[in-house]
Amino acid sequence: MIPTPRKIAIVTGASSGIGAATVGHLAAAGFHVVGGARRVDRISAVTDPVGGTALALDVTDPASIETFLANSRQLAEERQLAIHLLVNNAGGALGLDRVESARDDQWETMYRTNVLGTMRMSRPLLPDLIASGDGHIINIGSIAGFETYPGGAGYTAAKHGQRAVTRTLRLELLGQPVRVTEIAPGLVETEFSVVRFEGDTERAQGVYAGMEPLLAEDIAECIAWAASRPAHVNIDEIVVRPRDQAAATLVHRRPVG
Ligand code: NDP
Ligand code: 8X3
């Protein structure tokens, strides 16, 4: 049963994977969830059942962000609720090329989504979160934010960059009623690898072959847990890996087939 919402939460990248799974968990925790992503029909599939709102959002496009925020604020006003939580989840990886053959377009997109997207969503929402009296930014980082692996430089550089933004926000917001949390997962089986390998599902499945990855639900639970601690408790960071993964480059695999 979904409780009557008391607060608004914005979740970016709510059309798939971790973001989509987070919608239901935050609704169950008492939030009216506004989900944003480029594929709005897919957001509606997860927001409609829990009474949330699906809005188009491209975190790399300032005009799209402006429209998304105007619509979110209008919704907040209509419902007489404040925006308390921003989950910067939109992002991901493109390619697995070594630096010697790195593609500019992939690196630029990864930087624009994971790093600039986090900043471009957080910057305009900070006044709303402060005014709410109990605000919270949860950034979905990665173990790639503090580890590296061959072929991963474009993504790990972006996640290291996003992590720096998160940690800086934690310092800058000290004294304000806004918490800052990073959730840093290891391997989670979502559309992440299909996107990374540009639709090559066989290659994507190979990432999880012979091991048991995390599920999007596992991370959504962490997000909802961090968001539902008492206001004076700041969960600074949660690192979550599958039992089968000890490091980005060290995964235990059983024989397949
Ligand atoms: P998915 O590919 O399943 O989901 C990615 C989400 O991001 C989609 O909803 C997509 O929506 C959205 N997105 C991508 N680009 C944009 C954009 N420009 N504007 C708005 N939304 C965008 O992957 P995950 O759920 O796994 O990824 C979610 C986050 O978790 C990412 O930040 C990723 O880096 C991080 N992460 C993932 C791990 C994993 O192993 N899966 C591990 C560690 C961290 P749409 O295409 O509709 O716009
Ligand atoms: C996703 C985890 O190890 O594929 O952020 O980079 S990894």
Side-chain angles (χ1 to χ4, degrees), residues 51-131:
T53 304
L55 294 176
L57 173 67
D58 181 343
V59 298
T60 67
D61 176 1
S64 168
I65 292 174
E66 204 173 310
T67 305
F68 175 88
L69 292 178
N71 290 333
S72 299
R73 291 194 181 106
Q74 190 183 341
L75 177 100
E77 203 175 307
E78 282 165 11
R79 294 181 176 248
Q80 297 187 305
L81 296 172
I83 300 170
H84 285 261
L85 173 61
L86 167 63
V87 182
N88 283 309
N89 165 74
L94 285 175
L96 194 58
D97 296 316
R98 296 165 65 90
V99 174
E100 66 214 25
S101 45
R103 277 174 47 183
D104 289 26
D105 60 330
Q106 293 185 331
W107 279 55
E108 282 167 9
T109 300
M110 286 188 277
Y111 199 80
R112 279 205 307 273
T113 49
N114 295 286
V115 188
L116 289 178
T118 296
M119 179 278 287
R120 284 178 168 149
M121 289 301 295
S122 304
R123 180 176 57 191
L125 277 168
L126 278 170
D128 303 71
L129 296 171
I130 292 170

Side-chain angles (χ1 to χ4, degrees), residues 113-231:
T113 49
N114 295 286
V115 188
L116 289 178
T118 296
M119 179 278 287
R120 284 178 168 149
M121 289 301 295
S122 304
R123 180 176 57 191
L125 277 168
L126 278 170
D128 303 71
L129 296 171
I130 292 170
S132 78
D134 175 19
H136 197 168
I137 296 175
I138 300 182
N139 290 340
I140 309 309
S142 167
I143 59 169
F146 49 84
E147 294 190 40
T148 57
Y149 51 90
Y155 180 60
T156 58
K159 285 302 196 191
H160 275 66
Q162 184 196 25
R163 180 172 170 80
V165 176
T166 307
R167 294 173 71 86
T168 303
L169 275 171
R170 179 78 175 102
L171 302 176
E172 291 179 353
L173 289 169
L174 186 66
Q176 297 288 356
V178 182
R179 293 180 282 167
V180 180
T181 298
E182 176 176 357
I183 314 276
L187 290 168
V188 190
E189 190 163 10
T190 59
E191 292 179 14
F192 177 89
S193 294
V194 178
V195 173
R196 171 171 236 171
F197 299 128
E198 296 175 311
D200 184 340
T201 48
E202 205 174 318
R203 192 174 177 199
Q205 279 165 7
V207 173
Y208 315 104
M211 57 89 63
E212 189 173 351
L214 296 170
L215 303 175
E217 293 289 329
D218 299 321
I219 305 307
E221 279 179 12
C222 294
I223 294 167
W225 179 78
S228 54
R229 293 312 86 209

